[in-house]
C-alpha cells in the first residue's frame, strides 16, 4: 500500500528513489520494486536482530542477578537533587520556584521535604 502510493506519487514527477547506499532505482520497473522490497526486508532483519540482541543482553543481566530499571521507592533524579531542595527550602523559597529551577515537579519537592522531616 505504502509502496504503491510512493510509486504513483513519484512516477508523476519522474523521480527515482535513492537508497542510503547511494543506489538509484526506478519504482516503475519490476527490478526497482524488487530492490525496494529487498531493502525493506534487510532493514526489518536488522531491526529484529538488534531487538534480539537487546533482549538477550537484558536476560543475561537478569540471570546474573542485576535489577534493571527504577526500583520501588527509588527516584534517581529527585534523590540526587535532594540537597539542593533542602538548601532552597532553608532559604525560604517556595516549592513552586524550587521545582521550576530544578526541573522537577512541585509534588516531588514536597515529597523530598516530607522525606527530610520523617528522617529527622
Amino acid at each position: 500500500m505504502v509502496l504503491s502510493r510512493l510509486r504513483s506519487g513519484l512516477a508523476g514527477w519522474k523521480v527515482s528513489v535513492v537508497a542510503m547506499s547511494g543506489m538509484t532505482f526506478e519504482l516503475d520497473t519490476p527490478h526497482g520494486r524488487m530492490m525496494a522490497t529487498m531493502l525493506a526486508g534487510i532493514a526489518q532483519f536488522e531491526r529484529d536482530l538488534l531487538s534480539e540482541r537487546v533482549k538477550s543482553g537484558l536476560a543475561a543481566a537478569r540471570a546474573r542477578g542485576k535489577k534493571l530499571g527504577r526500583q520501588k521507592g527509588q527516584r534517581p533524579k529527585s534523590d540526587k537533587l535532594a540537597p539542593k531542595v533542602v538548601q532552597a527550602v532553608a532559604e525560604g523559597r517556595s516549592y513552586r520556584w524550587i521545582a521550576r529551577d530544578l526541573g522537577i515537579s512541585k509534588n516531588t519537592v514536597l515529597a523530598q521535604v516530607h522525606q527530610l522531616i520523617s528522617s529527622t
Side-chain angles (χ1 to χ4, degrees):
M1 181 171 159
V2 174
L3 187 58
S4 64
R5 284 190 184 177
L6 179 65
R7 186 179 335 118
S8 65
L10 293 177
W13 294 337
K14 303 289 185 207
V15 176
S16 64
V17 175
V18 178
M20 294 300 286
S21 65
M23 293 187 312
T24 304
F25 51 91
E26 298 291 329
L27 289 176
D28 291 341
T29 65
H31 291 93
R33 287 191 295 276
M34 179 187 70
M35 286 297 295
T37 303
M38 185 178 69
L39 290 172
I42 291 170
Q44 183 62 45
F45 174 75
E46 288 176 345
R47 284 190 295 271
D48 291 345
L49 183 63
L50 182 61
S51 175
E52 287 301 316
R53 289 177 110 180
V54 168
K55 287 177 185 175
S56 67
L58 292 173
R62 281 191 201 101
R64 289 191 307 267
K66 258 230 199 271
K67 290 187 177 185
L68 303 170
R70 189 173 106 180
Q71 305 303 312
K72 185 174 180 162
Q74 273 187 339
R75 298 173 79 160
K77 182 178 178 183
S78 62
D79 289 345
K80 184 171 65 175
L81 293 173
K84 291 181 180 180
V85 169
V86 170
Q87 180 185 0
V89 168
E91 293 170 358
R93 300 191 61 211
S94 73
Y95 292 175
R96 178 181 295 157
W97 285 101
I98 296 169
R100 186 190 65 113
D101 290 345
L102 297 178
I104 55 179
S105 74
K106 188 173 67 169
N107 291 335
T108 303
V109 173
L110 181 65
Q112 287 293 329
V113 171
H114 282 259
Q115 188 176 18
L116 173 70
I117 292 170
S118 65
S119 66
T120 57

